[in-house]
Amino acid sequence: MRILLSNDDGYFAPGLSALADALGDLGDVVVVAPEQNRSGASNSLTLDRPLFLKKAANGFHFVNGTPTDCVHLAVTGMLDSLPDIIVSGINNGANMGDDTIYSGTVAAATEGYLLGIPSIAISLTSFDGRNFASAGLVARQLVERFIRQPMQEPVLLNVNVPDIPYSELKGMEVTRLGRRHKAEPVVKTVSPRNETLYWIGAAGAAADAGPGTDFNAVERGCVSITPLQIDLTHSAQLPALVQWME
């Protein structure tokens, strides 16, 4: 069993170490992660400069690029055989609802999925980062399940784990993505050189958080597991658009 790990918080992130520890004895684990924190990088590829691949003292490999770069480089250039599964995380903070559009954690898993490899993105739903071990155990359970019972087609799973001790988790639920309210406005500041600077505002609060959503599951102390897809076609609008174009 070959398992490729990546993330968007950087190769030095505690969540990545916790993930490697949790999965280390399940097979041949290879870690390829960004050199720096690339949260919010989404599915971007670096095309304006070359990438390097280096190995850290702890055995992790790191790349001077995005999470997508890391997985793409590992699968198409570094490894001599395809991974059996890719796990991205453990992210320090939730990736629920609209977050998945921006998330580098989800993007790393998405790249694996696009390359035909079953992939999991896993996040701890708090910036406190107190219970990475809980998320690590959840990741292990999912990978063990995959080993016992492989899916018949590549899957892309977005997993969010409440930041509580593993013994307090209320189980796992298969969910759909909820929705957030629009993001808070940018924060405007002035630099010591009298330059106007802007910080991206905080994500909006949950808007669609009813039963069946990832927000609802996590709020009740459950692990949320959402299968994602890549087809962005708004199929319901196709007939109206055809008529509009006539």
Side-chain angles (χ1 to χ4, degrees), residues 45-125:
L45 281 170
T46 300
L47 303 177
D48 61 342
R49 56 183 169 82
L51 300 172
F52 63 65
L53 175 70
K54 295 184 179 182
K55 191 172 185 179
N58 62 358
F60 293 178
H61 295 84
F62 60 92
V63 176
N64 61 328
T66 67
T68 301
D69 289 331
C70 294
V71 173
H72 191 87
L73 189 156
V75 173
T76 67
M78 170 189 169
L79 300 176
D80 54 10
S81 61
L82 290 178
D84 296 293
I85 193 168
I86 294 173
V87 186
S88 177
I90 299 164
N91 192 64
N92 189 25
N95 278 307
M96 300 187 291
D98 309 339
D99 303 340
T100 56
I101 299 296
Y102 307 100
S103 168
T105 303
V106 175
T110 299
E111 184 66 11
Y113 174 75
L114 290 173
L115 293 169
I117 303 165
S119 299
I120 300 172
I122 185 161
S123 303
L124 193 66
T125 61

Side-chain angles (χ1 to χ4, degrees), residues 93-96 121-123 125 158-162 214 218 222-225:
N95 278 307
M96 300 187 291
I122 185 161
S123 303
T125 61
N158 185 45
V159 181
N160 282 276
V161 182
D214 46 5
V218 167
C222 294
V223 175
S224 166
I225 305 175

Side-chain angles (χ1 to χ4, degrees), residues 79-218:
L79 300 176
D80 54 10
S81 61
L82 290 178
D84 296 293
I85 193 168
I86 294 173
V87 186
S88 177
I90 299 164
N91 192 64
N92 189 25
N95 278 307
M96 300 187 291
D98 309 339
D99 303 340
T100 56
I101 299 296
Y102 307 100
S103 168
T105 303
V106 175
T110 299
E111 184 66 11
Y113 174 75
L114 290 173
L115 293 169
I117 303 165
S119 299
I120 300 172
I122 185 161
S123 303
L124 193 66
T125 61
S126 164
F127 290 114
D128 294 336
R130 297 175 180 173
N131 293 277
F132 284 115
S134 298
L137 287 172
V138 169
R140 183 183 178 92
Q141 287 182 321
L142 292 174
V143 172
E144 287 177 332
R145 182 181 292 269
F146 174 81
I147 294 171
R148 295 193 310 269
Q149 188 178 351
M151 299 289 285
Q152 297 304 305
E153 58 183 339
V155 293
L156 173 58
L157 303 181
N158 185 45
V159 181
N160 282 276
V161 182
D163 192 2
I164 56 179
Y166 182 79
S167 61
E168 297 179 16
L169 292 173
K170 302 298 192 296
M172 301 187 188
E173 289 190 8
V174 176
T175 62
R176 64 176 176 87
L177 295 181
R179 293 291 304 274
R180 289 190 184 276
H181 291 288
K182 69 177 184 179
E184 297 295 322
V186 295
V187 179
K188 183 178 178 180
T189 62
V190 178
S191 76
R193 296 183 179 182
N194 203 35
E195 300 168 316
T196 301
L197 305 176
Y198 298 91
W199 289 91
I200 297 297
D208 176 7
T213 66
D214 46 5
F215 289 106
N216 184 271
V218 167

